[in-house]
Amino acid sequence: MEDLNIRITGRAGRITFTRPKALNALSHPMALAIHAALDQWRDDPAVALVIIDAEGDRAFCAGGDIAAVYHAGRAGDHAEGREFFRDEYRMNAAIADYPKPIVAFMQGFVMGGGVGVGGHAGHRVVGDTTRIAMPESGIGLIPDVGGTWLLAHAPGRIGEYLALTGARMGPGDTIHARFADSYLPESEWPALIARLEETGDATLIQGLTPPESPLATRDLSHFGGADLPAIIAATEAAGDDESLQALRRNSPLSMAAGLAMVRAARQDGRMQDSLAREYRFTYRATAESDFLEGVRAQIIDKDRQPRWQAPATPEAVAAMLAPLGDHELTWKDSA
């Protein structure tokens, strides 16, 4: 398809994002095409491993292409978003559970939907330009695409910090936070990809010592509060003004729900449990949350002045995360 180059080269199945002018944003058809390629290669003996990379130096994938979801939601059509998130999450699960090695080379911006593609690969390579984030609370959503699972497994209170603030991580932080595995200067990626294509041997991936991680030495204990108001108060007391700006800027409901979901994900036995919980929020997002207003302010009108309306009470969070009955996310198509 136009936005992806899907092919077999040597012993590798290759998936390359090819819309760099759009920062390789992930659309619904792209999510379906990635999943279909993985299904096709799963039992193909000619494919020993899968390589996912992207054209351009600005972004591996800067997020989901949600303009269609926004416009449909504004028109009262909530099925568009529900179908996109459902199919995207099933693709995310297919990557996480894939029986063959998947290697993701993630340069530039890797956000939201990009984390859902690269962050669940078995071998995640980052370079000097890599900037990974889950900034969904800034658009009235929650860290999805399995993001709550990844955040839940970051050391200490890094998961809460990243979920609530949407802060960006450089290469050292991504490895410390367990969002990536190997650091390698991007100038060395083409030669490694060529060797992987030739051999199909993922053990050839040998990363170098990554840059230092500022997060590794940062005191984030103020993100251990019992709830969002407690965290905001502790952040004020700690004098963490940078985080405080984000906490005052992002959607209160999204932050309260994201906090609950990251902490719940620490008890999940597999990523699908976290994805199913995320889907409960995103299923309702266009109808019952601040999502449409957040997208309007950040992406459509770009006035950066969202007018948040949704309450952030425990009752509101519980309502957004309540079971969906017959609409619960299932996995019969993700394996």
Side-chain angles (χ1 to χ4, degrees), residues 37 55 63 66 78 102 111 136-137 156-157 159 162 231 261 285 304 309 325:
E55 292 181 357
I66 52 177
H78 304 297
I102 296 180
M111 298 183 179
E136 289 81 2
S137 60
R157 298 299 178 182
L162 295 174
I231 289 174
M261 295 167 77
R304 307 289 193 264
Q309 300 293 326

mmCIF file of all heavy atoms in Angstrom, residues 37 55 63 66 78 102 111 136-137 156-157 159 162 231 261 285 304 309 325:
data_model
loop_
_atom_site.group_PDB
_atom_site.id
_atom_site.type_symbol
_atom_site.label_atom_id
_atom_site.label_comp_id
_atom_site.label_asym_id
_atom_site.label_seq_id
_atom_site.Cartn_x
_atom_site.Cartn_y
_atom_site.Cartn_z
ATOM 1 N N ALA A 37 0.270 -8.729 7.066
ATOM 2 C CA ALA A 37 1.609 -9.186 6.696
ATOM 3 C C ALA A 37 2.163 -10.151 7.739
ATOM 4 O O ALA A 37 2.751 -11.192 7.390
ATOM 5 C CB ALA A 37 2.542 -7.990 6.526
ATOM 6 N N GLU A 55 10.955 5.381 6.699
ATOM 7 C CA GLU A 55 11.656 6.377 5.903
ATOM 8 C C GLU A 55 11.661 7.724 6.630
ATOM 9 O O GLU A 55 10.770 8.017 7.425
ATOM 10 C CB GLU A 55 10.968 6.546 4.546
ATOM 11 C CG GLU A 55 11.094 5.338 3.638
ATOM 12 C CD GLU A 55 10.420 5.556 2.287
ATOM 13 O OE1 GLU A 55 9.806 6.640 2.095
ATOM 14 O OE2 GLU A 55 10.502 4.655 1.444
ATOM 15 N N GLY A 63 2.592 8.690 15.884
ATOM 16 C CA GLY A 63 1.308 8.460 16.516
ATOM 17 C C GLY A 63 0.271 7.960 15.528
ATOM 18 O O GLY A 63 0.569 7.707 14.361
ATOM 19 N N ILE A 66 -5.479 10.186 13.539
ATOM 20 C CA ILE A 66 -6.806 10.154 14.161
ATOM 21 C C ILE A 66 -7.743 11.231 13.622
ATOM 22 O O ILE A 66 -8.819 11.451 14.183
ATOM 23 C CB ILE A 66 -6.692 10.288 15.691
ATOM 24 C CG1 ILE A 66 -5.852 11.513 16.069
ATOM 25 C CG2 ILE A 66 -6.112 9.017 16.290
ATOM 26 C CD1 ILE A 66 -5.756 11.735 17.565
ATOM 27 N N HIS A 78 -19.548 7.133 16.219
ATOM 28 C CA HIS A 78 -18.539 6.639 17.159
ATOM 29 C C HIS A 78 -17.975 5.285 16.748
ATOM 30 O O HIS A 78 -17.010 4.807 17.345
ATOM 31 C CB HIS A 78 -19.134 6.579 18.563
ATOM 32 C CG HIS A 78 -19.694 7.901 19.017
ATOM 33 N ND1 HIS A 78 -18.903 9.021 19.177
ATOM 34 C CD2 HIS A 78 -20.968 8.284 19.286
ATOM 35 C CE1 HIS A 78 -19.664 10.026 19.552
ATOM 36 N NE2 HIS A 78 -20.915 9.617 19.626
ATOM 37 N N ILE A 102 10.905 -10.065 15.868
ATOM 38 C CA ILE A 102 10.579 -8.804 15.203
ATOM 39 C C ILE A 102 11.577 -7.763 15.684
ATOM 40 O O ILE A 102 11.776 -7.592 16.896
ATOM 41 C CB ILE A 102 9.146 -8.346 15.495
ATOM 42 C CG1 ILE A 102 8.124 -9.353 14.923
ATOM 43 C CG2 ILE A 102 8.890 -6.957 14.909
ATOM 44 C CD1 ILE A 102 6.672 -8.970 15.168
ATOM 45 N N MET A 111 5.799 7.904 19.119
ATOM 46 C CA MET A 111 4.776 8.311 20.079
ATOM 47 C C MET A 111 3.483 7.542 19.839
ATOM 48 O O MET A 111 3.154 7.210 18.695
ATOM 49 C CB MET A 111 4.506 9.814 19.956
ATOM 50 C CG MET A 111 5.706 10.685 20.251
ATOM 51 S SD MET A 111 5.307 12.445 20.165
ATOM 52 C CE MET A 111 6.911 13.153 20.587
ATOM 53 N N GLU A 136 -0.735 10.982 25.333
ATOM 54 C CA GLU A 136 -2.174 10.955 25.083
ATOM 55 C C GLU A 136 -2.985 11.827 26.041
ATOM 56 O O GLU A 136 -4.053 12.329 25.668
ATOM 57 C CB GLU A 136 -2.700 9.517 25.133
ATOM 58 C CG GLU A 136 -2.282 8.659 23.959
ATOM 59 C CD GLU A 136 -0.872 8.095 24.110
ATOM 60 O OE1 GLU A 136 -0.217 8.341 25.143
ATOM 61 O OE2 GLU A 136 -0.424 7.403 23.170
ATOM 62 N N SER A 137 -2.511 12.004 27.277
ATOM 63 C CA SER A 137 -3.303 12.820 28.208
ATOM 64 C C SER A 137 -3.412 14.260 27.733
ATOM 65 O O SER A 137 -4.317 14.984 28.148
ATOM 66 C CB SER A 137 -2.700 12.770 29.616
ATOM 67 O OG SER A 137 -1.373 13.258 29.622
ATOM 68 N N GLY A 156 10.394 2.016 39.267
ATOM 69 C CA GLY A 156 9.958 3.050 40.195
ATOM 70 C C GLY A 156 8.646 3.695 39.786
ATOM 71 O O GLY A 156 7.677 3.022 39.423
ATOM 72 N N ARG A 157 8.615 5.024 39.831
ATOM 73 C CA ARG A 157 7.419 5.792 39.474
ATOM 74 C C ARG A 157 7.518 6.407 38.088
ATOM 75 O O ARG A 157 6.766 7.329 37.757
ATOM 76 C CB ARG A 157 7.186 6.887 40.526
ATOM 77 C CG ARG A 157 6.924 6.356 41.921
ATOM 78 C CD ARG A 157 5.671 5.492 41.956
ATOM 79 N NE ARG A 157 5.427 4.926 43.283
ATOM 80 C CZ ARG A 157 4.417 4.106 43.571
ATOM 81 N NH1 ARG A 157 3.575 3.755 42.609
ATOM 82 N NH2 ARG A 157 4.268 3.635 44.786
ATOM 83 N N GLY A 159 6.594 5.125 35.316
ATOM 84 C CA GLY A 159 5.360 4.886 34.590
ATOM 85 C C GLY A 159 4.311 5.939 34.872
ATOM 86 O O GLY A 159 3.686 6.479 33.950
ATOM 87 N N LEU A 162 5.497 9.379 33.270
ATOM 88 C CA LEU A 162 5.347 9.460 31.820
ATOM 89 C C LEU A 162 3.879 9.497 31.404
ATOM 90 O O LEU A 162 3.503 10.207 30.471
ATOM 91 C CB LEU A 162 6.044 8.284 31.144
ATOM 92 C CG LEU A 162 7.569 8.220 31.283
ATOM 93 C CD1 LEU A 162 8.093 6.924 30.680
ATOM 94 C CD2 LEU A 162 8.241 9.419 30.624
ATOM 95 N N ILE A 231 -0.860 13.572 43.937
ATOM 96 C CA ILE A 231 0.355 13.701 43.121
ATOM 97 C C ILE A 231 0.611 15.157 42.768
ATOM 98 O O ILE A 231 1.754 15.634 42.818
ATOM 99 C CB ILE A 231 0.238 12.828 41.861
ATOM 100 C CG1 ILE A 231 0.342 11.348 42.244
ATOM 101 C CG2 ILE A 231 1.297 13.194 40.831
ATOM 102 C CD1 ILE A 231 0.101 10.390 41.104
ATOM 103 N N MET A 261 -4.987 3.083 35.389
ATOM 104 C CA MET A 261 -4.737 1.991 34.453
ATOM 105 C C MET A 261 -3.294 1.506 34.508
ATOM 106 O O MET A 261 -3.047 0.301 34.398
ATOM 107 C CB MET A 261 -5.098 2.453 33.045
ATOM 108 C CG MET A 261 -6.583 2.749 32.901
ATOM 109 S SD MET A 261 -6.978 3.630 31.380
ATOM 110 C CE MET A 261 -6.886 2.269 30.227
ATOM 111 N N ALA A 285 -14.373 6.930 24.094
ATOM 112 C CA ALA A 285 -13.642 8.197 24.093
ATOM 113 C C ALA A 285 -14.329 9.290 23.285
ATOM 114 O O ALA A 285 -14.433 10.438 23.744
ATOM 115 C CB ALA A 285 -12.220 7.984 23.578
ATOM 116 N N ARG A 304 -3.990 25.106 20.858
ATOM 117 C CA ARG A 304 -3.331 24.654 22.084
ATOM 118 C C ARG A 304 -4.063 25.152 23.342
ATOM 119 O O ARG A 304 -3.466 25.303 24.390
ATOM 120 C CB ARG A 304 -1.868 25.120 22.146
ATOM 121 C CG ARG A 304 -1.044 24.762 20.912
ATOM 122 C CD ARG A 304 -0.762 23.280 20.830
ATOM 123 N NE ARG A 304 0.259 22.978 19.835
ATOM 124 C CZ ARG A 304 0.017 22.610 18.579
ATOM 125 N NH1 ARG A 304 -1.227 22.508 18.158
ATOM 126 N NH2 ARG A 304 1.015 22.324 17.758
ATOM 127 N N GLN A 309 -13.762 19.507 29.922
ATOM 128 C CA GLN A 309 -15.080 19.503 30.558
ATOM 129 C C GLN A 309 -15.327 18.252 31.395
ATOM 130 O O GLN A 309 -16.071 18.297 32.375
ATOM 131 C CB GLN A 309 -16.176 19.591 29.478
ATOM 132 C CG GLN A 309 -16.104 20.823 28.613
ATOM 133 C CD GLN A 309 -16.404 22.096 29.365
ATOM 134 O OE1 GLN A 309 -17.221 22.100 30.291
ATOM 135 N NE2 GLN A 309 -15.751 23.187 28.975
ATOM 136 N N GLY A 325 -19.311 -5.487 28.129
ATOM 137 C CA GLY A 325 -20.241 -6.546 27.768
ATOM 138 C C GLY A 325 -19.853 -7.194 26.451
ATOM 139 O O GLY A 325 -18.710 -7.631 26.265
#
